[in-house]
Amino acid sequence: MASLLVRNGRVLDPAQELDGISDVLLEDGRVSRIARGLQAPGSTVLDASGLIVAPGLIDIHVHLREPGREDEETIQSGSEAAAVGGFTSICCMPNTDPVNDNPAVTSFILKEAERGALTRVFPIGAISVGSAGERLAEIGEMVNAGAIGISDDGKGVMDGQLMRRAMEYSLPFKIPLIEHCEDLNLSARGCMNEGYHSTVLGLKGMSRTAEDAMAARDIMLAELTGAHIHIAHLSTRGAADLVRQGKKKGIHVTCEVCPHHFTLSDAACRHYDTNTKMSPPLRTEDDIEALREAIVDGTVDCIVTDHAPHNPNEKMLEFDRAPFGIIGLETALGLVLTHLYHPGLISLRRVVELMSTQPAQLINQPLGHLKAGTAADLTLFDPDAEWVYDLGQTKSKSRNSPFHGTALKGRVAATIVAGKIVYQSPEYFKE
Amino acid sequence: MSPEAIAPESGASTPPTSRGGPVSFNAKHLLGIEPLSVDQIQLILETAKSLREISTRPIKKVPTLRGKTVINLFFEASTRTRTSFEIAAKRLSADAINISTSSSSIVKGETLVDTARNLEAMAPDVIVIRHSSAGAPHQLAGTCSACIVNAGDGAHEHPTQALLDALTILDHKPTLKGLRVAIIGDIAHSRVARSNCLLLGKMGARVTVCGPPTLLPVGFDRIGSADGSLAVTDRMDDALEGADVVMMLRIQMERQREAFFPSVREYFRYYGLTARRMRSAKPDAIIMHPGPINRGVEIASEVADGPYSVILGQVASGVAIRMAVLYLVIGGREHPSRALEG
């Protein structure tokens, strides 16, 4: 079977404490050997000189819109955008139409992924039927069909008792409960962060307390039940503090943050550009600082995109009527390198931990490292390459990004899934 | 028609000039007070003053905007503002077309941008838009080549209201500078409050906004004044103390259901304007209200109809301000009387 030799890259695998120039031999879709000067007659050679060779990036929070809104994204198109962004695995949220709240939808997603996805796709099941927050979905059946976690992402689980039951019930399945922390009464009908800018713009604000209060409740429920609560797209100083305290107390709480939340503030909404509207909303400069601190001190476990494609016609609506969400798979690594690595906040090793090692552990998958025998998922990137994001080139079926025309430093050179090159940048590999 | 036909009566003020030449408005749209300079605000006010005389003539019409088309695109019910814009356009001889859809065209599956593009195909010179969504005029300005005039967008801005309020104040007070203005009521949902705070702040007035804390939004003290000249209080007597101008805002009945305050009775007790309360203000203070008024909810009839009320004067100022705005955005760079020369 085919083999691929990735030669001369700087192999960076935190799980094995590897950081140095080396060759990586991939055989039969698995990592075979890592050493200098490997010879592998007959194998394809990829020259990775000057590039970082890391275990494949994993995004545990994306929306693929299939089934139901194939005009916005399909499992295939979403995976293509993921491959361009250096992701080898993505986890898709259940808020499709129909909602992934039963094993039939879970199986459908996996079958479609097998048929056309460039990356691995891991479905996340719903916590409640229809994500309506009323009764438990068939959590065990979905796990049996391949779901790696559960979430009612898009809105918070308002009923505390239901959340407690979901945590208790899911204990034997050893999956994370991924919670969109938002008290819907407190944030009622808001469309951006509540603060000076929402006041100036005359837009209804979503208070940061709506996120903090829910995060506090969920962390306390996790303490009560012993379940693993994973706070999705954490965006406030208050919630970061709560997670930090929870971890100190030994509660099984983890969290993720999105690049837009530590790079843009609510001031970006001032032109009523609906590509600055997402939930949770862009917060304040103080929150940006708090998120960066939380990334640096280890409170944050992983970076995710919350890639949320929307039809341009819907994003063209008035700001308060437009749907929440932006796409993010293609810009995530560039934003992380530009805003966290280059200013010296975190090392490249930490970048890999946040985007590969730790998300793999969170979803309990034997990925996120390059130990011999594991799946040959690799991301090759050039941390110093300067480029400008162009939505005209996106592989996503949607165009809703606030980063069009943004200059970034750090770019994906190639993405390898199960030993197969699924993306290679023409800038690096001219064929 | 001779140039004199539109020239101001003697005694009417002339537009502000710099180096002897006319100040140009130099803005294609009127999206809000926020982007306007002090000079631009002054130019609108002076132009309105000179145009006001037209409405007192037996034949209330001048040919200044003949051949121009103004579309009043109203997505939100409004009699007063729409009529005011319509009369303003007609007095300047523009063709005014009113499109009112109480339910947004989204109901028909058409987006605001689609609606605008369709109108655009009819080549209007100005689109006056009223919309329940903040920022809708800005979105139009980004897609249309017509001049966009904001006639109220959600809780964001209502620039012509603030301008007509300023014009009304200047009928009673010599200058806006240093004037103490109290704005009282539902600040959170009020575009009138925002535009007035911005305008009055730029013109050097000292504004105090007042309402129950549930209707005072976060960060309002920073609106329109980098120097902190805007004060926020939840005590009405503090707001009224020494006020030259008292602006009351309309209280929407549904706010009671949304739990912003428990009852109209209680609201009136703490934030309703009565003759007794007015004793805290200056003796010559004027009382304003953007209308329509809720008698006995935010203002007692005795005050609304009293000698210090200038509420009807505001309505008259509205036509003049809207004439000035239409004239200036269409490209009136000069005094309207000179525009007809040559």
Side-chain angles (χ1 to χ4, degrees), chain A residues 121-148:
Chain A
V121 175
F122 297 101
I124 296 166
I127 292 173
S128 62
V129 174
S131 284
E134 285 162 8
R135 55 199 174 91
L136 288 185
E138 290 174 313
I139 296 167
E141 294 281 6
M142 290 188 291
V143 170
N144 185 50
I148 51 79

Side-chain angles (χ1 to χ4, degrees), chain B residues 63-82:
Chain B
T64 314
L65 296 185
R66 193 162 52 194
K68 303 289 184 186
T69 305
V70 175
I71 294 182
N72 291 321
L73 183 58
F74 277 59
F75 290 96
E76 212 181 52
S78 154
T79 311
R80 186 176 312 234
T81 306
R82 188 186 49 69

Side-chain angles (χ1 to χ4, degrees), chain A residues 317-334:
Chain A
L317 293 174
E318 297 82 345
F319 195 94
D320 53 353
R321 293 168 198 228
F324 291 102
I326 60 168
I327 59 171
L329 285 165
E330 296 169 333
T331 47
L333 181 64

Side-chain angles (χ1 to χ4, degrees), chain B residues 273-294:
Chain B
L273 189 65
T274 57
R276 189 188 58 75
R277 277 233 164 81
M278 269 307 283
R279 283 186 227 136
S280 303
K282 287 210 181 124
D284 62 346
I286 57 170
I287 296 164
M288 308 176 76
H289 192 298
I293 62 174
N294 289 318

Side-chain angles (χ1 to χ4, degrees), chain A residues 263-340:
Chain A
T263 56
L264 295 176
S265 76
D266 54 355
C269 302
R270 65 184 175 272
H271 303 299
Y272 296 101
D273 178 356
T274 57
N275 290 327
T276 60
K277 179 178 177 180
M278 69 291 287
S279 178
L282 297 175
R283 303 290 191 182
T284 66
E285 292 292 341
D286 180 61
D287 294 299
I288 291 178
E289 201 188 303
L291 294 190
R292 291 180 179 200
E293 286 164 15
I295 289 167
V296 170
D297 74 10
T299 301
V300 172
D301 299 275
C302 62
I303 308 279
V304 301
T305 64
D306 194 7
H307 179 83
H310 284 293
N311 184 305
N313 295 330
E314 288 166 31
K315 268 295 194 187
M316 246 191 329
L317 293 174
E318 297 82 345
F319 195 94
D320 53 353
R321 293 168 198 228
F324 291 102
I326 60 168
I327 59 171
L329 285 165
E330 296 169 333
T331 47
L333 181 64
L335 287 165
V336 166
L337 293 169
T338 305
H339 294 275
L340 300 177

Side-chain angles (χ1 to χ4, degrees), chain A residues 5 33 80 129 168 196 211 226 259 262 268 394 416 418 424-425:
Chain A
L5 182 63
R33 288 186 66 196
E80 287 170 13
V129 174
E168 288 170 337
Y196 169 71
E211 179 170 339
F262 60 77
T394 183
I416 298 165
Q424 53 183 324
S425 163

Side-chain angles (χ1 to χ4, degrees), chain A residues 45-345:
Chain A
V45 175
L46 200 59
D47 181 8
S49 306
L51 300 175
I52 303 292
V53 176
L57 306 184
I58 299 169
D59 184 352
I60 66 167
H61 193 143
V62 303
H63 298 268
L64 295 179
R65 304 299 185 216
E66 184 178 0
R69 287 303 300 267
E70 291 80 358
D71 60 313
E72 297 183 327
E73 199 79 286
T74 59
I75 291 164
Q76 186 179 338
S77 68
S79 77
E80 287 170 13
V84 170
F87 292 100
T88 55
S89 293
I90 50 181
C91 303
C92 55
M93 283 295 175
N95 62 338
T96 45
D97 182 15
V99 171
N100 180 17
D101 61 2
N102 65 75
V105 180
T106 309
S107 302
F108 166 82
I109 292 167
L110 287 169
K111 281 212 180 75
E112 285 304 300
E114 206 176 315
R115 213 158 60 95
L118 297 184
T119 63
R120 294 176 205 279
V121 175
F122 297 101
I124 296 166
I127 292 173
S128 62
V129 174
S131 284
E134 285 162 8
R135 55 199 174 91
L136 288 185
E138 290 174 313
I139 296 167
E141 294 281 6
M142 290 188 291
V143 170
N144 185 50
I148 51 79
I150 51 172
S151 178
D152 273 355
D153 186 52
K155 51 190 174 211
V157 176
M158 287 293 285
D159 182 335
Q161 181 70 333
L162 180 76
M163 193 59 174
R164 175 188 174 165
R165 295 280 181 251
M167 286 188 185
E168 288 170 337
Y169 186 78
S170 62
L171 281 171
F173 304 111
K174 304 204 180 314
I175 48 166
L177 275 89
I178 306 170
E179 166 80 319
H180 172 119
C181 290
E182 178 182 354
D183 181 318
L184 296 168
N185 291 327
L186 274 174
S187 68
R189 292 183 295 127
C191 59
M192 68 174 289
N193 181 56
E194 179 184 277
Y196 169 71
H197 292 286
S198 66
T199 295
V200 169
L201 292 168
L203 292 168
K204 245 188 206 323
M206 305 161 84
S207 143
R208 284 175 285 174
T209 306
E211 179 170 339
D212 302 349
M214 202 59 122
R217 182 202 73 178
D218 289 337
I219 292 168
M220 292 167 108
L221 286 175
E223 183 175 26
L224 176 72
T225 61
H228 174 196
I229 183 77
H230 178 72
I231 311 281
H233 41 48
L234 181 141
S235 73
T236 63
R237 177 179 288 278
D241 286 345
L242 287 162
V243 170
R244 191 178 288 118
Q245 288 164 21
K247 286 185 167 181
K248 250 184 217 149
K249 285 174 79 177
I251 301 168
H252 196 179
V253 54
T254 54
C255 72
E256 61 187 34
V257 299
C258 306
H260 48 270
H261 284 132
F262 60 77
T263 56
L264 295 176
S265 76
D266 54 355
C269 302
R270 65 184 175 272
H271 303 299
Y272 296 101
D273 178 356
T274 57
N275 290 327
T276 60
K277 179 178 177 180
M278 69 291 287
S279 178
L282 297 175
R283 303 290 191 182
T284 66
E285 292 292 341
D286 180 61
D287 294 299
I288 291 178
E289 201 188 303
L291 294 190
R292 291 180 179 200
E293 286 164 15
I295 289 167
V296 170
D297 74 10
T299 301
V300 172
D301 299 275
C302 62
I303 308 279
V304 301
T305 64
D306 194 7
H307 179 83
H310 284 293
N311 184 305
N313 295 330
E314 288 166 31
K315 268 295 194 187
M316 246 191 329
L317 293 174
E318 297 82 345
F319 195 94
D320 53 353
R321 293 168 198 228
F324 291 102
I326 60 168
I327 59 171
L329 285 165
E330 296 169 333
T331 47
L333 181 64
L335 287 165
V336 166
L337 293 169
T338 305
H339 294 275
L340 300 177
Y341 164 65
H342 284 295
L345 292 176

